[in-house]
């Protein structure tokens, strides 16, 4: 995790990799911060949004997860992972 944090993530895939490592280490709040760098906004990759929603849930912030994911469901921009 520390090695990934030292590298400067610039792409969605890189932010996801750092967030994934933080999630695996149980650092959910830090994972939220990392995933938010690529998972917010109308053009955010769906994989980043889904990961951010999971991080919110694991950080015991279900209201924020729902607020993030509900618009995807309404806009039919969701996928099977979002609906899980």
């Amino acid at each position: 995790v520390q090695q990934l944090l030292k590298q400067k993530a610039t792409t969605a895939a890189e932010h996801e990799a750092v967030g994934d490592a933080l999630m695996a280490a149980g650092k959910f709040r830090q994972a939220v911060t990392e995933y938010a760098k690529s998972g917010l906004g109308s053009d955010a990759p769906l994989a980043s949004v889904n990961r951010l929603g999971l991080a919110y849930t694991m950080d015991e912030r279900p209201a924020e997860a729902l607020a993030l994911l509900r618009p995807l469901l309404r806009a039919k921009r969701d996928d099977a992972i979002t609906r899980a």
Side-chain angles (χ1 to χ4, degrees):
V1 173
Q2 294 301 326
Q3 199 170 31
L4 282 172
L5 290 174
K6 288 179 185 178
Q7 299 172 8
K8 193 75 168 169
T10 58
T11 67
E14 291 170 345
H15 289 297
E16 289 171 9
V18 173
D20 291 350
L22 290 166
M23 289 284 284
K27 298 180 178 188
F28 306 124
R29 189 165 305 258
Q30 288 177 288
V32 165
T33 301
E34 192 63 35
Y35 289 138
K37 294 174 183 175
S38 64
L40 294 175
S42 61
D43 62 341
L46 191 53
S48 294
V49 178
N50 287 335
R51 283 175 162 91
L52 179 55
L54 177 61
Y56 277 139
T57 301
M58 296 302 294
D59 195 38
E60 298 182 10
R61 294 159 62 182
E64 290 174 73
L66 289 171
L68 175 72
L69 298 174
R70 277 191 180 134
L72 292 178
L73 295 169
R74 286 189 197 117
K76 301 203 183 303
R77 193 175 156 239
D78 60 324
D79 64 5
I81 294 170
T82 309
R83 292 185 298 275

